[in-house]
């Protein structure tokens, strides 16, 4: 072997020549069925190493058996991972298989090379063909081989096979100090696969079990422990971000294969890790948003030893309220939950000035309402009845007496309905000559449900109100998809059939189409861009506050 004088291997060879002599002595003493494995620095000349091993492979061909397979594997690894010559690595392994048969170790190496060639389907099928025999002599080696199969199967969208292989990999490990992080990484992979299979209850249950187990690992004990702590927390955040109906671009970039990758025991990075108790609450938030009960929230509460993060508790309050809008079970309870969510927004604003932890709050509804109104959150309070109106108009059934039921539920929950009186009046058709607030104007539109065909200007006015409402709604994750679908349908018709009613369509329609094409991916942000482009086309000069609002929504995923 040779060493680069630009790398650390040069100093190893120069300063520790006795190690080379000992290695040569050990090589001379090898029996015919043995091989010598040397740990070396990373920048020895790989080309010369391949040549040395290839010579030994040829000279030992007559011995057959394990040594032929091991030497072929070693040379293939150097070609694959050292020289990045996957085709040569594959050819060498195929030659060895043709000589001595489908030895599990050779099949595993071939699958690994195929994986590096992005042929995950072939790699997965190869590993599945030996899943009962591979790595039989070593639990860790078997676990890692099955783990590789699970990763390839997941990438090939063979999710059921992937889960089986990951399960077998985890079972192969007798989890101890050195292997616990590997086993937990494999379980994280299973959680990710379950999520991709849309089996969300099992996915978050699996992740909860990982959080429980990670709690027992000291993150300062090793880099592997620290890393699995990082990944467990990151996957919790990933799941919550993935529940957002539209991309915000801020989700952690985690793919199958990362969490369980076996890394060297490097120095601990000293990463600042947030308390696991906070991640439990975020996982409970996922459970609430999914509308399921697999015991995560109750488990999360047992992990708390003090006030939770105010922002997380606010999102939990909003998720409970949003779920009640969709479930339509009890309007009075929904108004109560809406008020609590609004109050949580208020307390979050107050606590973030001094601390990120939630402060004790009142549970008295009239007192919460007084504090909310006193703090200037009247517009947020008015979004609550509008959420129900939008849901009933476009997802449920707007029946006679619906508005009266809303008003009665508000009075029962809050003590009075004065704070939403203009919204109720507008939805009931009791509109005077005075100018309407945005909330009341939207309520009137929802009640009238005009046919806006042939009237792009009228559609623009209604959609402006809908976009503004969705951006401020406490139930945004449930309301936004409804609003986006309405805008996509309506403006597609305008561009296809009503350009005659637009001003300078050749100038404005391309921008409108750009916003329309992005609706499925970025939701309300694209809707705001579409309306900004459509305003001059429908001959509307936006007042400054509306123009600023649309630009804020268009530029930011959350406001």
């Amino acid at each position: 072997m040779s060493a680069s004088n630009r790398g650390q291997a040069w100093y190893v060879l120069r300063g520790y020549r006795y190690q080379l002599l000992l290695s040569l002595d050990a090589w001379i003493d090898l029996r015919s069925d043995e091989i010598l494995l040397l740990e070396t620095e990373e920048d020895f000349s790989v080309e010369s190493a391949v040549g040395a091993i290839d010579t030994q492979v040829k000279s030992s061909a007559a011995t057959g058996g394990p040594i032929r397979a091991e030497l072929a594997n070693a040379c293939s690894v150097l070609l694959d991972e050292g020289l990045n010559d996957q085709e040569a690595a594959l050819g060498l392994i195929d030659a060895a298989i043709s000589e001595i048969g489908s030895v599990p170790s050779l099949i595993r190496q071939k699958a690994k090379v195929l994986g590096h060639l992005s042929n995950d389907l072939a790699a997965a099928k190869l590993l599945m063909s030996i899943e009962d025999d591979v790595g039989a002599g070593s639990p860790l080696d078997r676990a890692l081989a099955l783990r590789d199969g699970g990763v390839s199967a997941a990438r090939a969208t063979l999710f059921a096979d992937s889960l089986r292989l990951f399960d077998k990999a985890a079972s192969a490990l007798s989890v101890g100090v050195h292997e616990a992080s590997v086993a937990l990484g494999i379980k994280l992979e299973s959680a990710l696969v379950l999520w991709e299979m849309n089996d969300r209850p099992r996915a978050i249950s699996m992740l909860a079990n990982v959080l429980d187990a990670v709690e027992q690992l000291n993150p300062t004990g090793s880099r592997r422990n620290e890393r699995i702590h990082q990944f467990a927390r990151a996957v919790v955040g990933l799941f919550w971000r993935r529940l957002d109906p539209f991309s915000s671009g801020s989700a952690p970039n985690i793919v199958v294969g990362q969490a369980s990758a076996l890394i060297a025991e490097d120095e601990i990075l000293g990463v600042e890790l947030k308390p696991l108790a906070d991640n439990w609450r975020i996982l409970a938030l996922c459970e609430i948003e999914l509308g399921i009960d697999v015991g995560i929230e109750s488990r999360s509460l047992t992990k708390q030893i003090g006030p939770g993060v105010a922002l997380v508790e606010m999102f939990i309050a909003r998720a409970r309220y949003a779920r009640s809008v969709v479930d339509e079970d009890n309007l009075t309870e929904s108004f109560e939950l809406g008020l609590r969510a609004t109050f949580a927004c208020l307390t979050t604003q107050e606590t973030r000035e001094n601390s990120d932890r939630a402060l004790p709050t009142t549970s008295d509804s009239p007192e919460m309402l007084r504090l909310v109104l006193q703090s200037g959150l009247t517009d947020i309070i008015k979004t609550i009845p509008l959420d129900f109106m939008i849901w009933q108009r476009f997802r449920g059934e707007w029946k006679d007496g619906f508005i009266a039921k809303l008003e009665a539920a508000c009075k029962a929950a809050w003590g009075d309905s004065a704070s939403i009186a203009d919204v109720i009046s507008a939805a009931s058709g009791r509109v005077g000559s005075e100018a309407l607030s945005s909330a009341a104007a939207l309520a009137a539109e929802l009640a009238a449900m005009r046919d806006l065909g042939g009237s792009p200007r009228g559609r623009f006015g209604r959609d402006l109100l809908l976009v503004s409402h969705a951006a401020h709604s406490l139930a945004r994750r449930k309301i936004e998809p409804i609003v986006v679908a309405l805008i996509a349908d309506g403006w597609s018709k305008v561009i296809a059939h009503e350009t005659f009613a637009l001003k300078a369509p050749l100038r404005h329609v391309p921008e409108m189409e750009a916003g329309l094409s992005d609706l499925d991916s970025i939701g309300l942000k694209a809707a705001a861009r579409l309306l900004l482009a459509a305003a001059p086309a429908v001959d509307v000069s936006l007042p400054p506050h509306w123009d600023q609002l649309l630009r804020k929504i268009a530029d930011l995923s959350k406001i």
Side-chain angles (χ1 to χ4, degrees), residues 251-326:
N253 184 23
I254 302 174
V255 297
V256 173
Q258 289 180 316
S260 63
L262 189 63
I263 63 166
E265 276 294 8
D266 296 328
E267 289 186 12
I268 296 169
L269 298 181
V271 177
E272 182 183 355
L273 297 169
K274 300 296 184 182
L276 277 172
D278 297 342
N279 294 94
W280 271 102
R281 293 302 284 160
I282 298 173
L283 194 58
L285 171 58
C286 293
E287 180 184 47
I288 294 167
E289 288 208 13
L290 287 167
I292 59 177
D293 183 2
V294 290
I296 304 297
E297 185 174 17
S298 59
R299 289 168 69 180
S300 77
L301 293 173
T302 67
K303 307 291 182 179
Q304 308 305 306
I305 56 175
V309 176
L311 191 62
V312 174
E313 297 304 320
M314 180 199 72
F315 279 123
I316 286 176
R318 290 179 59 168
R320 288 196 182 105
Y321 162 66
R323 175 51 54 184
S324 75
V325 172
V326 173

Side-chain angles (χ1 to χ4, degrees), residues 464-513:
L464 186 64
L465 296 171
L466 283 170
V467 167
S468 173
H469 170 79
H472 295 93
S473 172
L474 298 168
R476 175 169 174 165
R477 285 191 169 187
K478 303 300 179 186
I479 298 301
E480 183 176 1
I482 298 174
V483 171
V484 167
L486 281 172
I487 289 175
D489 179 65
W491 289 95
S492 293
K493 291 176 180 176
V494 169
I495 291 172
H497 307 296
E498 300 173 9
T499 52
F500 64 87
L502 299 178
K503 184 178 180 180
L506 291 178
R507 183 193 311 166
H508 301 302
V509 165
E511 269 191 274
M512 293 164 61
E513 288 178 324

